[in-house]
Amino acid sequence: MSKNIVFPYVTFNQFFEEPIIKKLALFYDKIYIGDGRFNIIQTVDQKNLKEDNIPLLYEKAVWDFLRDNEVVKTYPFLKEKFDNEDEDAKQLIQQLEELHKQGITKREWPKNPNEEQLAEMKKEYFSHFFLSHDVSIRLDTLHLRKIDEFSEYYPLLRTYDTLKGENKKSQIIQFLLNDIPEPDYATSWDHIIEYRTDEDVRNKYLALLNWVNKVTNSNQKLSEIKEEYDYLYSEYIKHFNLHKMKHTNSTLEVIVNSTVNFVANVATGNYVTSVKDLFQFNIKNASLLQEEAKVPGKEVAYIFHTKNRFQ
């Protein structure tokens, strides 16, 4: 079952959200963006751009690249999301309607505000702006869950006011996401996509999701699940480092011995023994890979290796 994040995309003059989006791409299968939001950046025209808005061309190129590589997916405006929904949706609809009635500001401001008043106005404006976006995104998420029962959808929220009612699994996903590193601007998208599509990495990711499903269906409290995660992570680091040391030493030993024997046997014309030496090398490597699969804490190995790669 794929895990997807519903992203409340907003265009600014600078693409400051790119590291956050890279982080999301390391954890979720797809980043979902509403058509209406996505089309804002798609209409950017180089000829009509002011100099201050030129960076939007880079932003547009990134989104196009991510959509072409199936990291990002768009969804149409869900006009029917307001019809015959459950209690959670009804509460969100009511909250959104109240926010729209309030408008951007809750009080009258002077025509010529001072710096302190201006700062307070901006704070109130963005609080209202992001809160209304979050409520709308949660409604979209509920509807996507309803029309696609074979995938999971989670809203990306910018304010804590919309977190009420999140279930146990959502909270587990959140503390795992907190442990995923946020790649910087220098980390290329090609690097991230290559990492996402690596078969071994994908297996580790699926093992993590399997653990999430297991603990979600358990009777453990969230605090106990977090403690189990910390223990598994600590165990994996300890045993992985021991395994890595053993793997390095064993591989070096096999390479040296095989190379010496291979050269000596080839020099004497004993090609059969040379082939056997190389065959033994492959068996040794396979044995070490089997041992790695038994390392304690492997359920959370994906987090460890992602940190190592992108932190």
Side-chain angles (χ1 to χ4, degrees), residues 2-9 28-35 37-38 71-75 137 144 148 151-154:
S2 66
K3 285 181 172 44
N4 310 294
I5 186 81
V6 187
F7 187 72
Y9 175 57
Y28 292 98
D29 289 285
K30 282 186 175 59
I31 300 170
Y32 274 70
I33 299 175
D35 269 343
R37 298 170 185 271
F38 197 82
V71 176
V72 165
K73 187 171 183 179
T74 59
Y75 61 91
I137 283 295
L144 286 167
D148 180 12
S151 300
E152 292 180 0
Y153 296 89
Y154 298 89

Side-chain angles (χ1 to χ4, degrees), residues 3 5 13 20 31 37 58 68 75 96-97 109 112 140 181 187 202 207 231 235 256 264 302:
K3 285 181 172 44
I5 186 81
N13 283 359
I20 300 171
I31 300 170
R37 298 170 185 271
Y58 169 76
D68 291 343
Y75 61 91
L96 190 61
E97 289 174 347
W109 291 96
N112 298 307
D140 283 354
T187 304
R202 183 66 183 173
Y231 170 74
E235 281 291 287
V256 171
Y302 178 78

Side-chain angles (χ1 to χ4, degrees), residues 44-57:
V44 168
D45 182 4
Q46 185 173 0
K47 293 180 181 178
N48 299 323
L49 275 182
K50 295 181 180 179
E51 187 174 345
D52 290 345
N53 295 331
I54 292 297
L56 290 175
L57 291 174

